[in-house]
């Protein structure tokens, strides 16, 4: 039998009375099991009960897959952040270190330290590998998006259509000026019927989702950065849109959620479901916080904001690709049905590889026509993340054979309030009577009224000069 010595809780066989000697290349399976054991015992977030990501190491570390992985990284424009050649170089370094210890050419204690550093580095690099890409996804940038469906007709508007900013101020229902004295740049305030319309959109969406089998959940907006990163969103660096709380001892660990997808996924971590419990369909309305860069005056003040309300769908299925794809289609159909009922003209896009981010296997965006702006603006997105998030958050189910398998997770925007307000108000503005016509499905939540009219003057933030 092999004699085994435990280094950092890893069984590393230093010598044997039986030939041939352990060789990490020839005995690759035994070697890889040892590497996995160490990775499983990493503690990436000391203060968070979250084990290290259970990535598909058999696939990632197999040299035969390196070209496929490299091509996927390139197509998704992640070259600057993910490097499969570097990962394989670290992998081979670890093999060499195990071999040197086995051959007694390296002191076991020194070898332990070197192996720990190499494996930690390998793990960190592997986390940057994006999800694999659906074979039907268009390759390239946003210009390569494929129109899947076109719904409705563009509203007939005059050449000088008014924006929501202009309409809101004309009706005394929105404030944009001097908001920097109250909040962050790009903030806004809604009054009266515009505030009611915001709530009407939420209640309408709740009603539609619950009728389609979604369970409502209320989630926190402040969550640990480890949950956000496990969902595929960086919390640091130039690509991050995440607001971190103060970098102090306690608050530096927490961030403001950019979407309720993040806390919902976090609530499911380390859960194992029975197969008959799936699919699981959840929905939440939350305040979303994003460090968005301004897109220019043409977009208007409510198109790209730093905080907003959004109703999000989140689904969990088995790892059957056909099952999760059908759930993906169901989410898009539900989104489309709501927007069609609200009278919007929109298009459904199959998004190209460079627009998928880290986590999505496939993503559909829905863009509606913004009359006053003269362009299609994104109002919804639906992503199938397959097992990208579940491997990082350890969300599993038990299959028919009694084996634990990683679930597939999906998410979709049911209602992004500011952009929906923009589309609805601009599309239903009646300049001849100075009123906004309320879409029929929302009237029940607006006192059964047909129009939004001008209200009395709303409070304004003003400079006050103090004289000493």
């Amino acid at each position: 039998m092999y004699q085994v010595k435990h280094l950092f809780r890893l069984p590393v066989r230093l010598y044997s009375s039986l030939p041939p000697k352990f060789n990490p290349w020839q005995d690759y399976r035994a070697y890889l099991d040892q590497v996995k054991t160490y990775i499983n015992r990493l503690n990436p977030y000391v203060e968070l009960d979250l084990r290290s990501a259970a990535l598909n190491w058999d696939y990632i570390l197999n040299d035969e897959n390196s070209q496929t992985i490299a091509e996927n990284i390139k197509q998704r424009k992640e070259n600057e952040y993910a490097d499969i050649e570097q990962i394989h170089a670290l992998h081979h370094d670890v093999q060499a270190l195990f071999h040197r210890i086995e051959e007694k050419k390296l002191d076991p204690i020194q070898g332990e330290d070197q192996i720990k550093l190499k494996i930690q580095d390998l793990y960190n690099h592997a986390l940057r590998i994006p999800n694999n890409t659906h074979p039907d996804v268009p390759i390239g940038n946003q210009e390569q998006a494929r129109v899947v469906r076109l719904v409705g007709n563009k509203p007939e508007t005059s050449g000088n259509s008014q924006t929501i900013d202009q309409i809101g101020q004309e009706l005394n229902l929105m404030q944009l000026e001097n908001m920097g004295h109250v909040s962050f740049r790009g903030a806004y305030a809604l009054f009266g019927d515009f505030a009611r319309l915001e709530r009407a959109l939420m209640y309408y969406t709740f009603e539609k989702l619950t009728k389609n089998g979604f369970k409502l959940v209320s989630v926190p907006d402040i969550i640990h950065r480890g949950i956000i990163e496990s969902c595929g969103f960086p919390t640091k660096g130039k690509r991050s849109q995440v607001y971190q709380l103060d970098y102090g001892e306690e608050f530096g660990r927490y961030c403001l959620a950019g979407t309720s997808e993040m806390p919902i996924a976090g609530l499911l971590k380390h859960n194992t479901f029975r197969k008959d419990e799936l699919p699981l369909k959840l929905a939440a309305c939350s305040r979303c916080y994003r460090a968005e860069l301004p897109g220019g005056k043409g977009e208007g003040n409510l198109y790209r904001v730093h905080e907003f309300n959004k109703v999000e769908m989140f689904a969990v299925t088995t790892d059957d690709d056909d099952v999760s794809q059908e759930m993906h289609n169901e989410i898009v159909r539900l989104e489309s049905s709501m927007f069609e009922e609200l009278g919007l003209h929109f298009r459904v896009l199959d998004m190209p590889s460079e627009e998928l981010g880290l986590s999505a296997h496939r993503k559909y965006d829905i863009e509606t026509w913004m009359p006053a702006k003269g362009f299609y603006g994104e109002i919804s997105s639906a992503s199938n993340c397959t097992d990208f998030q579940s491997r990082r958050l350890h969300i599993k189910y038990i299959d028919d054979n009694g084996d634990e398998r990683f679930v597939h997770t999906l998410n979709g925007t049911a209602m992004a309030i500011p952009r929906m307000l923009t589309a609805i108000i601009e599309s239903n503005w009646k300049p001849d009577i100075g009123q906004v016509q309320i879409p029929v499905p929302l009237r029940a939540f607006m006192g059964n009224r047909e129009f939004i009219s001008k209200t009395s003057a709303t409070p304004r933030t003003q400079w006050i000069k103090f004289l000493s």
Side-chain angles (χ1 to χ4, degrees), residues 387-400:
D387 62 357
F388 182 93
Q389 295 174 338
S390 63
R391 284 183 172 275
R392 287 158 172 76
L393 293 168
H394 299 272
I395 309 172
K396 303 177 182 179
Y397 79 100
I398 300 173
D399 68 10
D400 293 332

Side-chain angles (χ1 to χ4, degrees), residues 305-338:
V305 292
H306 293 278
E307 57 175 305
F308 58 96
N309 291 319
K310 179 163 71 79
V311 183
E312 184 80 0
M313 295 176 280
F314 191 91
V316 179
T317 73
T318 67
D319 63 342
D320 185 314
D321 290 337
D322 292 336
V323 171
S324 63
Q325 182 59 54
E326 177 52 37
M327 177 58 67
H328 199 190
N329 294 337
E330 178 184 332
I331 290 173
V332 175
R333 284 195 299 268
L334 184 51
E335 292 169 338
S336 299
S337 69
M338 288 189 289

Side-chain angles (χ1 to χ4, degrees), residues 14 113 429:
L14 297 178
D113 292 338
W429 171 242

Side-chain angles (χ1 to χ4, degrees), residues 226-241:
I227 300 299
I228 296 176
E229 291 169 358
S230 297
C231 287
F233 302 93
T235 61
K236 298 178 182 179
K238 62 183 181 180
R239 289 197 307 171
S240 177
Q241 292 186 336

Side-chain angles (χ1 to χ4, degrees), residues 218-287:
S218 179
V219 294
D221 296 332
I222 299 175
I223 57 176
H224 194 282
R225 65 183 180 88
I227 300 299
I228 296 176
E229 291 169 358
S230 297
C231 287
F233 302 93
T235 61
K236 298 178 182 179
K238 62 183 181 180
R239 289 197 307 171
S240 177
Q241 292 186 336
V242 176
Y243 281 118
Q244 283 190 307
L245 300 187
D246 188 88
Y247 285 91
E249 178 65 23
E250 178 68 19
F251 290 113
R253 305 166 184 169
Y254 297 92
C255 305
L256 298 177
T259 168
S260 56
E261 167 197 347
M262 300 169 178
I264 292 176
L267 291 174
L268 298 179
K269 73 180 175 69
H270 294 171
N271 265 280
T272 301
F273 297 93
R274 299 191 312 271
K275 187 177 180 181
D276 61 8
E277 293 179 301
L278 302 179
L280 176 66
K281 300 193 289 186
L282 303 173
C285 182
S286 69
R287 197 71 171 169

Side-chain angles (χ1 to χ4, degrees), residues 7 45 75 186 250 263 336 368 460 468:
L7 298 177
Y45 305 103
Q75 289 176 351
E250 178 68 19
S336 299
T368 191
R460 298 289 173 182
S468 57

Side-chain angles (χ1 to χ4, degrees), residues 31-43:
Y31 152 77
L32 189 58
D33 287 344
Q34 292 181 2
V35 172
K36 289 180 186 178
T37 300
Y38 178 67
I39 290 175
N40 290 340
R41 289 172 176 168
L42 291 175
N43 192 358

